[in-house]
Amino acid sequence: MKVILLEDVKSLGKKGDIVNVSDGYARNMLLPKKLGVEANNKNMNDLKLQNQHAQKVAQENLDKAKALAEEISDKQVTVTLKTGEGGKTFGSVSAKEISAAAKAQLELELDKKKMQLPDGGLKTLGVHEIKIKFHPKVTGTLKVKVAEE
């Protein structure tokens, strides 16, 4: 019997796969536990429509990520840091501070978890380029100016 999997099933396949299993396994295991449905014409058509919708949503997310990466590529955020004698800095600038500054200065919501900072954050004055991963296929660059307070 051909079955469309509704969930990932170990040793059978992933969600959305069409697998050929014995009638007993399908009737006694997959169908009652809602792990799969019989692969008839209606269910095959529903699966096709779901896949088309998922592809459309994925493409829209990719387009949004590209647009956002393009938008921030020429922008700059300024963050201040306390400094001592000889330009020595106290502390560092973290992703949380950069995210807050971007929200205040550029009115953009940037996820601090997706920023790729060097270990310990930004510890020197000047302009730094930070990579932000918006999508698995899209990485943007934001300029962060660390200034004296």
Side-chain angles (χ1 to χ4, degrees), residues 137-148:
K137 296 178 182 176
V138 179
T139 303
T141 304
L142 176 68
K143 291 184 182 118
V144 178
K145 181 179 180 185
V146 181
E148 228 177 300

Side-chain angles (χ1 to χ4, degrees), residues 105-122:
Q105 296 170 20
L106 305 176
E107 298 172 1
L108 288 174
E109 292 281 340
L110 299 178
D111 189 2
K112 65 182 180 186
K113 295 175 187 162
K114 298 187 179 190
M115 292 183 189
Q116 299 171 341
L117 293 174
D119 287 338
L122 304 177

Side-chain angles (χ1 to χ4, degrees), residues 40-89:
N40 57 24
N41 287 338
K42 179 191 176 298
N43 291 336
M44 295 287 278
N45 194 30
D46 289 347
L47 176 67
K48 188 170 130 184
L49 291 174
Q50 286 174 352
N51 287 342
Q52 288 175 349
H53 179 68
Q55 287 176 346
K56 181 180 174 187
V57 169
Q59 186 62 40
E60 287 175 359
N61 288 341
L62 180 63
D63 293 342
K64 285 180 187 176
K66 284 181 180 177
L68 188 57
E70 187 68 33
E71 183 181 342
I72 70 156
S73 66
D74 59 342
K75 298 204 175 177
Q76 179 173 311
V77 174
T78 304
V79 182
T80 58
L81 194 61
K82 286 188 179 183
T83 56
E85 291 180 27
K88 181 161 174 59
T89 60

